[in-house]
Amino acid sequence: MRFVDEFGAPLTANDAEAVRRYDAAVGQLLLLRNDPIAFADEALLIDPSLVMANVLKSAACVLGTERSALPDAIAALGAGLHGASDATPRELGHLAALAAWVDGRLHDACAQWERVLVDHPNDALAMLCAHQGDFFLGQSSELRDRVARRLPQIEPGSRLEGYYSGMHAFGLEEMGDYGRAEEAGARAVASDPRDAWAIHAVAHVMEMTNRTDDGIAWLSSRVDDWTTDSFFAVHNWWHLSLYHLDRMDWASVLDMYDGHVRAGYSTAMLDLLDASALLWRLGLHGVDVEQRWQELAGIWATHVDDAWYSFNDVHAMMAFAGAGRGDLADQLLATMQATAGGTNDNALMTREVGLPAARALLSFSQGGYQQAVELLSKVRPIAARAGGSHAQRELLTQTLIAAAERAGYQSMARALLDERLALKPHSPLHRQWQARVLAA
C-alpha cells in the first residue's frame, strides 16, 4: 500500500499507525533528540516490511560516525533490502545511498540522496542525511546550496520549511554569509524552538563574528530547548565554552567541561570530539588539564584502530598526545598510515589532511614545534577536505600560531594573529596573544 509521510513524501507501508511511528522517528532525528531508533523499532513491530523505518535506523547509525555502529547499520540496511520488493524509486534511492555510505563512499551516498531530492524535495530524511554528509566531507557550498535548491518548493510557513531553514542557516554561515545565516536560523528557531541544529547554526555565526556576549545570551536563554532529551547537547555546551575561552575565563570553561561536556563520561563519538577539542585549546594557553586527558585517552583507546573517519582520528590523537600516551599515538599513526593507502573517501581525507595533522599534533606535544609548523602550514589551507566546521578547524590555526611562537618564528606568529584579528578584532584572547608575540 502507498502512504505519505508527515511531509508528503511517498512510502510503502501496510499500516497507518506504523507510518505515524516512522514520522515520530524522523521528527526526533530532525531535532537531534533521543531516541529515533526506538520509534523506528516501534514502527517495525507494527509493520516489519516498512522499508523507510529500516532506512532511518541505518542512517541514524552511520550519522554518528561510530565504527562500532556499522554492524547495526548494515543489518538495518539488509532488512530494508529484504523488504524492498515493492519499494518505490525513492525508497530504493535511500537504500542505494546507505549501501554507498557503509562501503565508505560518502560522495556517492550524497549523490544518491540528491537524486531522491530532485524528485522529492520534501524528503526530510534525504535532506538531513545529505546535509550531514556534506558536513563530513567539508562541502561548504553544498551545505548551503543543496538546501537552497529545495526551499522554494516547500510550503511557506510549514514545519518542514523551518527545519530546512535551520540547515540552510548553517550552510550560509559556513560560506561566510553571516547576516542571512542569522536570519535563517532565527526563522527556524521561531518555527520550532527545539531545533538544536538551527540554534547551533546561529551560535556559529556569533562565534565567527566574535560576538561573544550575544552568543552567551543566545545559548543561555535557550538551554532547555537544546539540552532536553538531546544527543546534541554536548556540542552546544562546547560552543558556549568557546565564548568563555575567548574571554580567557578558564574557570568557566573548566566548569562547563566537568559539569556538562564530560559530566556523564559519555562514550558517544560526537561528545568525545568536543571534549578533545576543548582540552586541546585550553592546553595551548597553558591551562593545566593533564588529569582530564588521562580519562579521555582511556575512552579514545577503544577507537585507536577504527580507521573509519579521519576527523575522529585527529581528535583521538589530541587525547593520546595530551595524555602522553606515545604507545597509543604510535598505534594510531600506524593505523592511519595503512588507511591512507586505500581508495575510499576516508583514505583520501586521511592521506591529504588527517595523517599530517595527527603527526603535527603529536610533534607539538613532544616539543617538535618546527615540524608542527611545517606540517600545519601545508595542511591548514586544505583542512576543509576532511570535514568539520570553520569553528572546529580553527584549532589547527591556533596550534600553528602556538607552534610558531614556541619555535621562535615570531614574524609568522604575528602574521597569523593579524589574520585572526582581522576576523575577530575584539577578541581578548587574540589581542593578548598578539601583545605577547610583539613583546618577544
Side-chain angles (χ1 to χ4, degrees):
M1 297 172 62
R2 298 290 189 239
F3 289 83
V4 295
D5 68 15
E6 178 183 1
F7 303 118
L11 73 164
T12 307
N14 294 316
D15 189 284
E17 180 58 29
V19 175
R20 284 192 285 273
R21 293 290 87 196
Y22 166 75
D23 284 338
V26 174
Q28 290 290 99
L29 200 53
L30 286 168
L31 292 171
L32 309 180
R33 292 206 159 200
N34 307 321
D35 171 5
I37 291 178
F39 285 95
D41 282 335
E42 290 177 11
L44 288 166
L45 282 175
I46 300 169
D47 182 0
S49 67
L50 184 55
V51 170
M52 288 305 298
N54 279 308
V55 163
L56 186 141
K57 287 182 65 177
S58 184
C61 289
V62 299
L63 291 179
T65 70
E66 308 247 9
R67 190 179 187 92
S68 61
L70 194 56
D72 289 338
I74 293 171
L77 172 61
L81 290 167
H82 180 74
S85 58
D86 195 31
T88 65
R90 174 209 174 205
E91 292 162 335
L92 293 173
H94 274 279
L95 293 168
L98 287 164
W101 193 297
V102 300
D103 193 39
R105 295 179 287 112
L106 275 64
H107 283 99
D108 290 345
C110 287
Q112 288 287 348
W113 277 310
E114 176 66 16
R115 293 187 187 102
V116 171
L117 286 163
V118 167
D119 292 327
H120 303 286
N122 57 342
D123 190 330
L125 184 57
M127 178 60 75
L128 176 66
C129 291
H131 187 68
Q132 293 301 313
D134 291 332
F135 174 72
F136 297 144
L137 291 166
Q139 298 181 155
S140 297
S141 61
E142 279 298 273
L143 283 168
R144 177 193 63 191
D145 297 340
R146 197 185 302 278
V147 191
R149 291 194 287 271
R150 271 82 229 189
L151 269 171
Q153 304 172 64
I154 305 303
E155 180 184 354
S158 65
R159 286 176 56 237
L160 185 59
E161 183 191 46
Y163 297 138
Y164 278 17
S165 292
M167 296 181 215
H168 193 218
F170 183 64
L172 289 165
E173 178 276 324
E174 288 297 290
M175 290 300 291
D177 196 347
Y178 299 125
R180 292 177 63 208
E182 187 170 354
E183 291 172 2
R187 285 197 303 273
V189 174
S191 174
D192 192 332
R194 304 168 300 166
D195 190 339
W197 188 255
I199 293 171
H200 138 274
V202 176
H204 268 273
V205 170
M206 294 172 178
E207 164 66 22
M208 297 308 294
T209 55
N210 201 207
R211 292 161 53 198
T212 55
D213 291 346
D214 290 344
I216 290 170
W218 170 258
L219 287 177
S220 299
S221 65
R222 292 167 174 79
V223 168
D224 290 344
D225 292 325
W226 54 264
T227 59
T228 303
D229 194 31
S230 175
F231 59 80
F232 203 59
V234 165
H235 189 64
N236 278 331
W237 281 117
W238 177 79
H239 273 283
L240 188 55
S241 299
L242 290 188
Y243 301 129
H244 290 281
L245 192 145
D246 191 67
R247 291 175 164 183
M248 298 178 294
D249 182 0
W250 314 127
S252 291
V253 178
L254 288 171
D255 284 346
M256 286 186 203
Y257 182 90
D258 295 334
H260 299 288
V261 174
R262 293 303 293 156
Y265 299 107
S266 169
T267 61
M269 184 61 67
L270 296 176
D271 298 345
L272 295 176
L273 293 171
D274 291 330
S276 284
L278 194 54
L279 286 188
W280 188 267
R281 282 171 167 83
L282 286 166
L284 288 177
H285 301 290
V287 181
D288 182 7
V289 294
E290 184 176 352
Q291 292 308 309
R292 294 174 177 86
W293 275 133
Q294 300 301 325
E295 180 273 325
L296 195 60
I299 305 298
W300 272 115
T302 64
H303 298 283
V304 67
D305 292 321
D306 276 5
W308 183 238
Y309 183 42
S310 71
F311 191 81
N312 298 350
D313 295 336
V314 170
H315 285 74
M317 180 57 80
M318 293 175 205
F320 301 152
R325 292 296 304 272
D327 56 333
L328 290 170
D330 290 343
Q331 186 178 347
L332 176 62
L333 287 178
T335 298
M336 295 180 76
Q337 183 67 55
T339 301
T343 58
N344 65 13
D345 291 333
N346 186 52
L348 178 63
M349 290 188 281
T350 302
R351 189 162 56 246
E352 292 188 342
V353 178
L355 185 56
R359 285 173 172 157
L361 295 172
L362 181 60
S363 292
F364 181 91
S365 73
Q366 296 173 341
Y369 302 124
Q370 291 181 343
Q371 185 179 17
V373 167
E374 181 179 347
L375 290 167
L376 288 174
S377 295
K378 295 175 182 177
V379 164
R380 194 174 72 106
I382 60 170
R385 297 179 188 176
S389 66
H390 293 301
Q392 289 172 312
R393 293 189 298 269
E394 189 174 0
L395 178 146
L396 296 178
T397 300
Q398 291 199 11
T399 305
L400 176 56
I401 297 169
E405 182 184 17
R406 297 179 193 188
Y409 302 154
Q410 304 303 323
S411 295
M412 174 185 279
R414 176 184 178 175
L416 290 166
L417 285 164
D418 285 343
E419 172 196 291
R420 303 319 296 162
L421 283 164
L423 297 171
K424 297 182 173 183
H426 306 297
S427 166
L429 175 69
H430 289 91
R431 288 216 166 274
Q432 185 183 90
W433 203 349
Q434 185 188 54
R436 186 173 70 237
V437 168
L438 289 173

PDB file of all heavy atoms in Angstrom, residues 14 30 77 81 87 100 131 146 160 166 257 264 291 301 328 334 360 383-384 393 395:
ATOM      1  N   ASN A  14       2.078  -0.973   5.271  1.00  0.00           N
ATOM      2  CA  ASN A  14       0.855  -1.767   5.405  1.00  0.00           C
ATOM      3  C   ASN A  14      -0.048  -1.277   6.534  1.00  0.00           C
ATOM      4  O   ASN A  14      -1.123  -1.830   6.729  1.00  0.00           O
ATOM      5  CB  ASN A  14       1.204  -3.246   5.654  1.00  0.00           C
ATOM      6  CG  ASN A  14       1.885  -3.877   4.469  1.00  0.00           C
ATOM      7  OD1 ASN A  14       1.472  -3.678   3.325  1.00  0.00           O
ATOM      8  ND2 ASN A  14       2.933  -4.655   4.730  1.00  0.00           N
ATOM      9  N   LEU A  30      15.348  14.977  13.151  1.00  0.00           N
ATOM     10  CA  LEU A  30      15.453  16.371  12.723  1.00  0.00           C
ATOM     11  C   LEU A  30      15.790  17.299  13.878  1.00  0.00           C
ATOM     12  O   LEU A  30      16.508  18.287  13.705  1.00  0.00           O
ATOM     13  CB  LEU A  30      14.137  16.821  12.070  1.00  0.00           C
ATOM     14  CG  LEU A  30      13.849  16.275  10.664  1.00  0.00           C
ATOM     15  CD1 LEU A  30      12.401  16.556  10.283  1.00  0.00           C
ATOM     16  CD2 LEU A  30      14.796  16.893   9.639  1.00  0.00           C
ATOM     17  N   LEU A  77      20.162  -1.993   6.959  1.00  0.00           N
ATOM     18  CA  LEU A  77      20.164  -1.886   5.504  1.00  0.00           C
ATOM     19  C   LEU A  77      19.757  -3.212   4.865  1.00  0.00           C
ATOM     20  O   LEU A  77      18.942  -3.240   3.928  1.00  0.00           O
ATOM     21  CB  LEU A  77      21.561  -1.480   5.025  1.00  0.00           C
ATOM     22  CG  LEU A  77      21.813  -1.496   3.520  1.00  0.00           C
ATOM     23  CD1 LEU A  77      20.886  -0.542   2.785  1.00  0.00           C
ATOM     24  CD2 LEU A  77      23.279  -1.166   3.228  1.00  0.00           C
ATOM     25  N   LEU A  81      16.593  -3.894   2.412  1.00  0.00           N
ATOM     26  CA  LEU A  81      16.716  -4.505   1.079  1.00  0.00           C
ATOM     27  C   LEU A  81      15.850  -5.758   0.969  1.00  0.00           C
ATOM     28  O   LEU A  81      15.240  -6.012  -0.075  1.00  0.00           O
ATOM     29  CB  LEU A  81      18.181  -4.851   0.803  1.00  0.00           C
ATOM     30  CG  LEU A  81      19.127  -3.664   0.582  1.00  0.00           C
ATOM     31  CD1 LEU A  81      20.573  -4.118   0.637  1.00  0.00           C
ATOM     32  CD2 LEU A  81      18.822  -2.986  -0.750  1.00  0.00           C
ATOM     33  N   ALA A  87       9.214  -1.708  -3.270  1.00  0.00           N
ATOM     34  CA  ALA A  87       9.676  -0.373  -2.893  1.00  0.00           C
ATOM     35  C   ALA A  87       9.538   0.617  -4.038  1.00  0.00           C
ATOM     36  O   ALA A  87       9.616   0.263  -5.217  1.00  0.00           O
ATOM     37  CB  ALA A  87      11.130  -0.435  -2.449  1.00  0.00           C
ATOM     38  N   ALA A 100      26.202   2.800  -0.260  1.00  0.00           N
ATOM     39  CA  ALA A 100      27.437   3.512  -0.575  1.00  0.00           C
ATOM     40  C   ALA A 100      28.120   3.984   0.716  1.00  0.00           C
ATOM     41  O   ALA A 100      29.346   3.885   0.863  1.00  0.00           O
ATOM     42  CB  ALA A 100      27.128   4.701  -1.485  1.00  0.00           C
ATOM     43  N   HIS A 131      22.792  16.546   4.019  1.00  0.00           N
ATOM     44  CA  HIS A 131      23.348  17.715   4.699  1.00  0.00           C
ATOM     45  C   HIS A 131      24.484  17.308   5.638  1.00  0.00           C
ATOM     46  O   HIS A 131      25.554  17.935   5.647  1.00  0.00           O
ATOM     47  CB  HIS A 131      22.234  18.415   5.477  1.00  0.00           C
ATOM     48  CG  HIS A 131      22.612  19.721   6.094  1.00  0.00           C
ATOM     49  ND1 HIS A 131      22.905  20.852   5.358  1.00  0.00           N
ATOM     50  CD2 HIS A 131      22.737  20.089   7.397  1.00  0.00           C
ATOM     51  CE1 HIS A 131      23.204  21.852   6.170  1.00  0.00           C
ATOM     52  NE2 HIS A 131      23.106  21.418   7.418  1.00  0.00           N
ATOM     53  N   ARG A 146      22.507  22.764  -1.456  1.00  0.00           N
ATOM     54  CA  ARG A 146      21.613  21.609  -1.548  1.00  0.00           C
ATOM     55  C   ARG A 146      20.256  21.948  -0.928  1.00  0.00           C
ATOM     56  O   ARG A 146      19.211  21.529  -1.427  1.00  0.00           O
ATOM     57  CB  ARG A 146      22.229  20.395  -0.860  1.00  0.00           C
ATOM     58  CG  ARG A 146      21.547  19.082  -1.278  1.00  0.00           C
ATOM     59  CD  ARG A 146      22.078  17.886  -0.505  1.00  0.00           C
ATOM     60  NE  ARG A 146      23.506  17.670  -0.624  1.00  0.00           N
ATOM     61  CZ  ARG A 146      24.100  17.056  -1.639  1.00  0.00           C
ATOM     62  NH1 ARG A 146      23.381  16.626  -2.651  1.00  0.00           N
ATOM     63  NH2 ARG A 146      25.415  16.872  -1.634  1.00  0.00           N
ATOM     64  N   LEU A 160       8.373  21.952   7.897  1.00  0.00           N
ATOM     65  CA  LEU A 160       9.484  21.500   7.062  1.00  0.00           C
ATOM     66  C   LEU A 160      10.317  22.680   6.585  1.00  0.00           C
ATOM     67  O   LEU A 160      11.550  22.604   6.548  1.00  0.00           O
ATOM     68  CB  LEU A 160       8.958  20.699   5.865  1.00  0.00           C
ATOM     69  CG  LEU A 160      10.044  20.065   4.991  1.00  0.00           C
ATOM     70  CD1 LEU A 160      10.910  19.109   5.808  1.00  0.00           C
ATOM     71  CD2 LEU A 160       9.423  19.335   3.798  1.00  0.00           C
ATOM     72  N   GLY A 166      16.874  25.946   9.068  1.00  0.00           N
ATOM     73  CA  GLY A 166      17.951  25.721  10.023  1.00  0.00           C
ATOM     74  C   GLY A 166      19.178  25.134   9.356  1.00  0.00           C
ATOM     75  O   GLY A 166      20.317  25.531   9.652  1.00  0.00           O
ATOM     76  N   TYR A 257      33.318  22.068  31.082  1.00  0.00           N
ATOM     77  CA  TYR A 257      33.884  20.769  30.684  1.00  0.00           C
ATOM     78  C   TYR A 257      33.502  19.700  31.704  1.00  0.00           C
ATOM     79  O   TYR A 257      32.980  18.635  31.347  1.00  0.00           O
ATOM     80  CB  TYR A 257      35.405  20.864  30.572  1.00  0.00           C
ATOM     81  CG  TYR A 257      36.036  19.562  30.129  1.00  0.00           C
ATOM     82  CD1 TYR A 257      36.231  19.279  28.781  1.00  0.00           C
ATOM     83  CD2 TYR A 257      36.424  18.597  31.065  1.00  0.00           C
ATOM     84  CE1 TYR A 257      36.789  18.072  28.375  1.00  0.00           C
ATOM     85  CE2 TYR A 257      36.973  17.391  30.669  1.00  0.00           C
ATOM     86  CZ  TYR A 257      37.162  17.128  29.318  1.00  0.00           C
ATOM     87  OH  TYR A 257      37.703  15.929  28.921  1.00  0.00           O
ATOM     88  N   GLY A 264      28.838  13.040  32.236  1.00  0.00           N
ATOM     89  CA  GLY A 264      28.413  11.644  32.285  1.00  0.00           C
ATOM     90  C   GLY A 264      29.423  10.677  31.715  1.00  0.00           C
ATOM     91  O   GLY A 264      29.123   9.504  31.515  1.00  0.00           O
ATOM     92  N   GLN A 291      45.140  15.707  34.011  1.00  0.00           N
ATOM     93  CA  GLN A 291      44.374  14.572  34.525  1.00  0.00           C
ATOM     94  C   GLN A 291      43.117  14.319  33.699  1.00  0.00           C
ATOM     95  O   GLN A 291      42.683  13.167  33.553  1.00  0.00           O
ATOM     96  CB  GLN A 291      44.015  14.815  35.998  1.00  0.00           C
ATOM     97  CG  GLN A 291      45.220  14.803  36.912  1.00  0.00           C
ATOM     98  CD  GLN A 291      46.078  13.548  36.730  1.00  0.00           C
ATOM     99  OE1 GLN A 291      45.564  12.428  36.768  1.00  0.00           O
ATOM    100  NE2 GLN A 291      47.372  13.745  36.532  1.00  0.00           N
ATOM    101  N   ALA A 301      41.043   5.187  23.481  1.00  0.00           N
ATOM    102  CA  ALA A 301      41.846   3.995  23.204  1.00  0.00           C
ATOM    103  C   ALA A 301      41.022   2.895  22.536  1.00  0.00           C
ATOM    104  O   ALA A 301      41.555   2.101  21.753  1.00  0.00           O
ATOM    105  CB  ALA A 301      42.477   3.479  24.495  1.00  0.00           C
ATOM    106  N   LEU A 328      49.836   4.647  22.327  1.00  0.00           N
ATOM    107  CA  LEU A 328      48.581   4.755  21.575  1.00  0.00           C
ATOM    108  C   LEU A 328      48.734   5.676  20.376  1.00  0.00           C
ATOM    109  O   LEU A 328      48.151   5.429  19.313  1.00  0.00           O
ATOM    110  CB  LEU A 328      47.469   5.262  22.497  1.00  0.00           C
ATOM    111  CG  LEU A 328      47.001   4.288  23.574  1.00  0.00           C
ATOM    112  CD1 LEU A 328      46.070   4.975  24.571  1.00  0.00           C
ATOM    113  CD2 LEU A 328      46.295   3.086  22.941  1.00  0.00           C
ATOM    114  N   ALA A 334      50.093   4.334  12.860  1.00  0.00           N
ATOM    115  CA  ALA A 334      50.244   3.157  12.008  1.00  0.00           C
ATOM    116  C   ALA A 334      48.920   2.812  11.325  1.00  0.00           C
ATOM    117  O   ALA A 334      48.884   2.477  10.123  1.00  0.00           O
ATOM    118  CB  ALA A 334      50.745   1.978  12.837  1.00  0.00           C
ATOM    119  N   ALA A 360      51.392  16.348  13.166  1.00  0.00           N
ATOM    120  CA  ALA A 360      51.713  17.694  13.663  1.00  0.00           C
ATOM    121  C   ALA A 360      51.331  17.836  15.131  1.00  0.00           C
ATOM    122  O   ALA A 360      52.096  18.409  15.936  1.00  0.00           O
ATOM    123  CB  ALA A 360      50.995  18.743  12.825  1.00  0.00           C
ATOM    124  N   ALA A 383      42.357  21.963   4.942  1.00  0.00           N
ATOM    125  CA  ALA A 383      41.802  21.182   6.043  1.00  0.00           C
ATOM    126  C   ALA A 383      40.316  20.882   5.865  1.00  0.00           C
ATOM    127  O   ALA A 383      39.825  19.859   6.357  1.00  0.00           O
ATOM    128  CB  ALA A 383      42.027  21.904   7.370  1.00  0.00           C
ATOM    129  N   ALA A 384      39.591  21.737   5.151  1.00  0.00           N
ATOM    130  CA  ALA A 384      38.151  21.517   4.963  1.00  0.00           C
ATOM    131  C   ALA A 384      37.869  20.214   4.229  1.00  0.00           C
ATOM    132  O   ALA A 384      36.764  19.666   4.348  1.00  0.00           O
ATOM    133  CB  ALA A 384      37.539  22.687   4.192  1.00  0.00           C
ATOM    134  N   ARG A 393      37.819  23.690  12.848  1.00  0.00           N
ATOM    135  CA  ARG A 393      39.149  23.678  12.212  1.00  0.00           C
ATOM    136  C   ARG A 393      40.034  24.818  12.696  1.00  0.00           C
ATOM    137  O   ARG A 393      41.252  24.787  12.466  1.00  0.00           O
ATOM    138  CB  ARG A 393      38.993  23.736  10.689  1.00  0.00           C
ATOM    139  CG  ARG A 393      38.358  22.496  10.098  1.00  0.00           C
ATOM    140  CD  ARG A 393      38.443  22.515   8.576  1.00  0.00           C
ATOM    141  NE  ARG A 393      37.728  23.619   7.982  1.00  0.00           N
ATOM    142  CZ  ARG A 393      36.453  23.591   7.600  1.00  0.00           C
ATOM    143  NH1 ARG A 393      35.736  22.484   7.774  1.00  0.00           N
ATOM    144  NH2 ARG A 393      35.878  24.647   7.043  1.00  0.00           N
ATOM    145  N   LEU A 395      41.070  25.228  15.473  1.00  0.00           N
ATOM    146  CA  LEU A 395      42.030  24.615  16.385  1.00  0.00           C
ATOM    147  C   LEU A 395      43.388  24.419  15.701  1.00  0.00           C
ATOM    148  O   LEU A 395      44.441  24.598  16.324  1.00  0.00           O
ATOM    149  CB  LEU A 395      41.477  23.282  16.880  1.00  0.00           C
ATOM    150  CG  LEU A 395      42.346  22.446  17.813  1.00  0.00           C
ATOM    151  CD1 LEU A 395      41.486  21.705  18.814  1.00  0.00           C
ATOM    152  CD2 LEU A 395      43.181  21.446  17.019  1.00  0.00           C
TER     153      LEU A 395
END
